[in-house]
mmCIF file of all heavy atoms in Angstrom:
data_model
loop_
_atom_site.group_PDB
_atom_site.id
_atom_site.type_symbol
_atom_site.label_atom_id
_atom_site.label_comp_id
_atom_site.label_asym_id
_atom_site.label_seq_id
_atom_site.Cartn_x
_atom_site.Cartn_y
_atom_site.Cartn_z
ATOM 1 N N PRO A 377 -82.796 -37.036 38.075
ATOM 2 C CA PRO A 377 -83.246 -38.316 37.496
ATOM 3 C C PRO A 377 -84.588 -38.801 38.031
ATOM 4 O O PRO A 377 -85.232 -39.644 37.414
ATOM 5 C CB PRO A 377 -82.109 -39.282 37.888
ATOM 6 C CG PRO A 377 -80.913 -38.413 38.046
ATOM 7 C CD PRO A 377 -81.442 -37.158 38.656
ATOM 8 N N ALA A 378 -85.008 -38.261 39.193
ATOM 9 C CA ALA A 378 -86.289 -38.675 39.787
ATOM 10 C C ALA A 378 -87.374 -37.627 39.572
ATOM 11 O O ALA A 378 -88.368 -37.603 40.297
ATOM 12 C CB ALA A 378 -86.114 -38.939 41.279
ATOM 13 N N ILE A 379 -87.218 -36.765 38.560
ATOM 14 C CA ILE A 379 -88.151 -35.659 38.361
ATOM 15 C C ILE A 379 -89.592 -36.146 38.210
ATOM 16 O O ILE A 379 -90.531 -35.503 38.700
ATOM 17 C CB ILE A 379 -87.743 -34.817 37.123
ATOM 18 C CG1 ILE A 379 -88.607 -33.560 36.997
ATOM 19 C CG2 ILE A 379 -87.766 -35.654 35.862
ATOM 20 C CD1 ILE A 379 -88.384 -32.534 38.066
ATOM 21 N N ASP A 380 -89.803 -37.296 37.586
ATOM 22 C CA ASP A 380 -91.167 -37.778 37.368
ATOM 23 C C ASP A 380 -91.833 -38.228 38.666
ATOM 24 O O ASP A 380 -93.065 -38.309 38.734
ATOM 25 C CB ASP A 380 -91.169 -38.937 36.363
ATOM 26 C CG ASP A 380 -90.800 -38.494 34.959
ATOM 27 O OD1 ASP A 380 -90.945 -37.292 34.656
ATOM 28 O OD2 ASP A 380 -90.346 -39.346 34.167
ATOM 29 N N SER A 381 -91.046 -38.530 39.690
ATOM 30 C CA SER A 381 -91.582 -38.966 40.981
ATOM 31 C C SER A 381 -91.585 -37.855 42.017
ATOM 32 O O SER A 381 -92.063 -38.050 43.134
ATOM 33 C CB SER A 381 -90.757 -40.147 41.524
ATOM 34 O OG SER A 381 -90.748 -41.226 40.632
ATOM 35 N N THR A 382 -91.059 -36.703 41.650
ATOM 36 C CA THR A 382 -90.887 -35.618 42.613
ATOM 37 C C THR A 382 -92.199 -34.882 42.853
ATOM 38 O O THR A 382 -92.836 -34.411 41.905
ATOM 39 C CB THR A 382 -89.823 -34.620 42.113
ATOM 40 O OG1 THR A 382 -88.608 -35.327 41.873
ATOM 41 C CG2 THR A 382 -89.573 -33.529 43.150
ATOM 42 N N PRO A 383 -92.625 -34.738 44.113
ATOM 43 C CA PRO A 383 -93.861 -34.015 44.411
ATOM 44 C C PRO A 383 -93.616 -32.508 44.449
ATOM 45 O O PRO A 383 -92.474 -32.059 44.533
ATOM 46 C CB PRO A 383 -94.232 -34.533 45.803
ATOM 47 C CG PRO A 383 -92.899 -34.797 46.436
ATOM 48 C CD PRO A 383 -92.004 -35.294 45.330
ATOM 49 N N GLU A 384 -94.678 -31.748 44.377
ATOM 50 C CA GLU A 384 -94.571 -30.307 44.575
ATOM 51 C C GLU A 384 -94.452 -30.016 46.078
ATOM 52 O O GLU A 384 -94.966 -30.763 46.894
ATOM 53 C CB GLU A 384 -95.807 -29.590 44.011
ATOM 54 C CG GLU A 384 -96.002 -29.772 42.515
ATOM 55 C CD GLU A 384 -94.926 -29.114 41.655
ATOM 56 O OE1 GLU A 384 -94.009 -28.465 42.209
ATOM 57 O OE2 GLU A 384 -94.984 -29.275 40.436
ATOM 58 N N PRO A 385 -93.765 -28.939 46.461
ATOM 59 C CA PRO A 385 -93.166 -27.907 45.607
ATOM 60 C C PRO A 385 -91.786 -28.246 45.070
ATOM 61 O O PRO A 385 -91.222 -27.495 44.291
ATOM 62 C CB PRO A 385 -93.085 -26.708 46.539
ATOM 63 C CG PRO A 385 -92.810 -27.323 47.882
ATOM 64 C CD PRO A 385 -93.627 -28.594 47.909
ATOM 65 N N ALA A 386 -91.240 -29.384 45.497
ATOM 66 C CA ALA A 386 -89.876 -29.705 45.113
ATOM 67 C C ALA A 386 -89.716 -29.857 43.600
ATOM 68 O O ALA A 386 -88.670 -29.529 43.047
ATOM 69 C CB ALA A 386 -89.417 -30.971 45.827
ATOM 70 N N LYS A 387 -90.746 -30.337 42.920
ATOM 71 C CA LYS A 387 -90.631 -30.548 41.476
ATOM 72 C C LYS A 387 -90.389 -29.235 40.740
ATOM 73 O O LYS A 387 -89.484 -29.132 39.899
ATOM 74 C CB LYS A 387 -91.882 -31.229 40.934
ATOM 75 C CG LYS A 387 -91.784 -31.582 39.455
ATOM 76 C CD LYS A 387 -92.972 -32.438 39.011
ATOM 77 C CE LYS A 387 -92.819 -32.905 37.578
ATOM 78 N NZ LYS A 387 -93.934 -33.805 37.170
ATOM 79 N N ALA A 388 -91.178 -28.232 41.056
ATOM 80 C CA ALA A 388 -90.986 -26.928 40.415
ATOM 81 C C ALA A 388 -89.639 -26.330 40.800
ATOM 82 O O ALA A 388 -88.964 -25.705 39.975
ATOM 83 C CB ALA A 388 -92.123 -25.980 40.803
ATOM 84 N N ASN A 389 -89.232 -26.519 42.047
ATOM 85 C CA ASN A 389 -87.938 -26.005 42.497
ATOM 86 C C ASN A 389 -86.786 -26.711 41.783
ATOM 87 O O ASN A 389 -85.771 -26.097 41.437
ATOM 88 C CB ASN A 389 -87.800 -26.179 44.003
ATOM 89 C CG ASN A 389 -88.752 -25.284 44.781
ATOM 90 O OD1 ASN A 389 -89.313 -24.347 44.225
ATOM 91 N ND2 ASN A 389 -88.935 -25.586 46.051
ATOM 92 N N LEU A 390 -86.940 -28.008 41.567
ATOM 93 C CA LEU A 390 -85.921 -28.775 40.870
ATOM 94 C C LEU A 390 -85.767 -28.289 39.433
ATOM 95 O O LEU A 390 -84.652 -28.148 38.921
ATOM 96 C CB LEU A 390 -86.299 -30.256 40.899
ATOM 97 C CG LEU A 390 -85.275 -31.282 40.418
ATOM 98 C CD1 LEU A 390 -83.969 -31.151 41.186
ATOM 99 C CD2 LEU A 390 -85.847 -32.686 40.562
ATOM 100 N N GLN A 391 -86.875 -27.989 38.791
ATOM 101 C CA GLN A 391 -86.833 -27.477 37.423
ATOM 102 C C GLN A 391 -86.190 -26.098 37.382
ATOM 103 O O GLN A 391 -85.427 -25.783 36.465
ATOM 104 C CB GLN A 391 -88.246 -27.442 36.848
ATOM 105 C CG GLN A 391 -88.829 -28.837 36.621
ATOM 106 C CD GLN A 391 -90.318 -28.833 36.322
ATOM 107 O OE1 GLN A 391 -91.043 -27.945 36.784
ATOM 108 N NE2 GLN A 391 -90.785 -29.824 35.573
ATOM 109 N N LEU A 392 -86.474 -25.286 38.399
ATOM 110 C CA LEU A 392 -85.862 -23.960 38.472
ATOM 111 C C LEU A 392 -84.355 -24.083 38.667
ATOM 112 O O LEU A 392 -83.564 -23.410 37.983
ATOM 113 C CB LEU A 392 -86.487 -23.168 39.618
ATOM 114 C CG LEU A 392 -86.036 -21.723 39.830
ATOM 115 C CD1 LEU A 392 -87.177 -20.895 40.417
ATOM 116 C CD2 LEU A 392 -84.830 -21.637 40.760
ATOM 117 N N ALA A 393 -83.942 -24.951 39.581
ATOM 118 C CA ALA A 393 -82.515 -25.155 39.831
ATOM 119 C C ALA A 393 -81.811 -25.657 38.585
ATOM 120 O O ALA A 393 -80.699 -25.222 38.253
ATOM 121 C CB ALA A 393 -82.325 -26.132 40.985
ATOM 122 N N GLU A 394 -82.463 -26.559 37.865
ATOM 123 C CA GLU A 394 -81.868 -27.111 36.652
ATOM 124 C C GLU A 394 -81.601 -26.015 35.620
ATOM 125 O O GLU A 394 -80.556 -26.000 34.962
ATOM 126 C CB GLU A 394 -82.784 -28.179 36.065
ATOM 127 C CG GLU A 394 -82.188 -28.911 34.880
ATOM 128 C CD GLU A 394 -83.056 -30.068 34.428
ATOM 129 O OE1 GLU A 394 -84.296 -29.976 34.554
ATOM 130 O OE2 GLU A 394 -82.490 -31.053 33.940
ATOM 131 N N LYS A 395 -82.528 -25.102 35.518
ATOM 132 C CA LYS A 395 -82.364 -23.991 34.573
ATOM 133 C C LYS A 395 -81.118 -23.178 34.895
ATOM 134 O O LYS A 395 -80.286 -22.902 34.017
ATOM 135 C CB LYS A 395 -83.606 -23.101 34.615
ATOM 136 C CG LYS A 395 -83.439 -21.766 33.895
ATOM 137 C CD LYS A 395 -84.613 -20.844 34.148
ATOM 138 C CE LYS A 395 -84.340 -19.448 33.605
ATOM 139 N NZ LYS A 395 -85.442 -18.501 33.910
ATOM 140 N N TYR A 396 -80.975 -22.797 36.165
ATOM 141 C CA TYR A 396 -79.838 -21.962 36.558
ATOM 142 C C TYR A 396 -78.530 -22.731 36.531
ATOM 143 O O TYR A 396 -77.466 -22.177 36.196
ATOM 144 C CB TYR A 396 -80.083 -21.345 37.938
ATOM 145 C CG TYR A 396 -80.984 -20.132 37.884
ATOM 146 C CD1 TYR A 396 -82.364 -20.264 37.942
ATOM 147 C CD2 TYR A 396 -80.453 -18.858 37.723
ATOM 148 C CE1 TYR A 396 -83.203 -19.148 37.866
ATOM 149 C CE2 TYR A 396 -81.269 -17.733 37.646
ATOM 150 C CZ TYR A 396 -82.644 -17.893 37.716
ATOM 151 O OH TYR A 396 -83.462 -16.786 37.634
ATOM 152 N N ILE A 397 -78.558 -24.013 36.876
ATOM 153 C CA ILE A 397 -77.345 -24.828 36.845
ATOM 154 C C ILE A 397 -76.892 -25.055 35.407
ATOM 155 O O ILE A 397 -75.696 -24.982 35.094
ATOM 156 C CB ILE A 397 -77.580 -26.151 37.598
ATOM 157 C CG1 ILE A 397 -77.628 -25.878 39.104
ATOM 158 C CG2 ILE A 397 -76.500 -27.180 37.271
ATOM 159 C CD1 ILE A 397 -78.059 -27.047 39.947
ATOM 160 N N ASP A 398 -77.826 -25.284 34.507
ATOM 161 C CA ASP A 398 -77.475 -25.413 33.095
ATOM 162 C C ASP A 398 -76.864 -24.112 32.571
ATOM 163 O O ASP A 398 -75.886 -24.132 31.815
ATOM 164 C CB ASP A 398 -78.707 -25.775 32.271
ATOM 165 C CG ASP A 398 -79.087 -27.244 32.383
ATOM 166 O OD1 ASP A 398 -78.238 -28.039 32.810
ATOM 167 O OD2 ASP A 398 -80.235 -27.590 32.050
ATOM 168 N N ASP A 399 -77.441 -22.977 32.955
ATOM 169 C CA ASP A 399 -76.928 -21.687 32.514
ATOM 170 C C ASP A 399 -75.520 -21.429 33.057
ATOM 171 O O ASP A 399 -74.708 -20.765 32.405
ATOM 172 C CB ASP A 399 -77.855 -20.553 32.969
ATOM 173 C CG ASP A 399 -79.160 -20.514 32.187
ATOM 174 O OD1 ASP A 399 -79.245 -21.195 31.141
ATOM 175 O OD2 ASP A 399 -80.105 -19.832 32.641
ATOM 176 N N ALA A 400 -75.230 -21.955 34.259
ATOM 177 C CA ALA A 400 -73.928 -21.733 34.879
ATOM 178 C C ALA A 400 -72.831 -22.524 34.193
ATOM 179 O O ALA A 400 -71.652 -22.155 34.245
ATOM 180 C CB ALA A 400 -73.980 -22.099 36.366
#
Side-chain angles (χ1 to χ4, degrees):
I379 187 68
D380 292 338
S381 302
T382 304
E384 298 293 358
K387 185 172 185 177
N389 292 345
L390 189 56
Q391 292 168 330
L392 183 150
E394 186 173 32
K395 168 189 171 183
Y396 280 87
I397 287 171
D398 282 342
D399 287 347

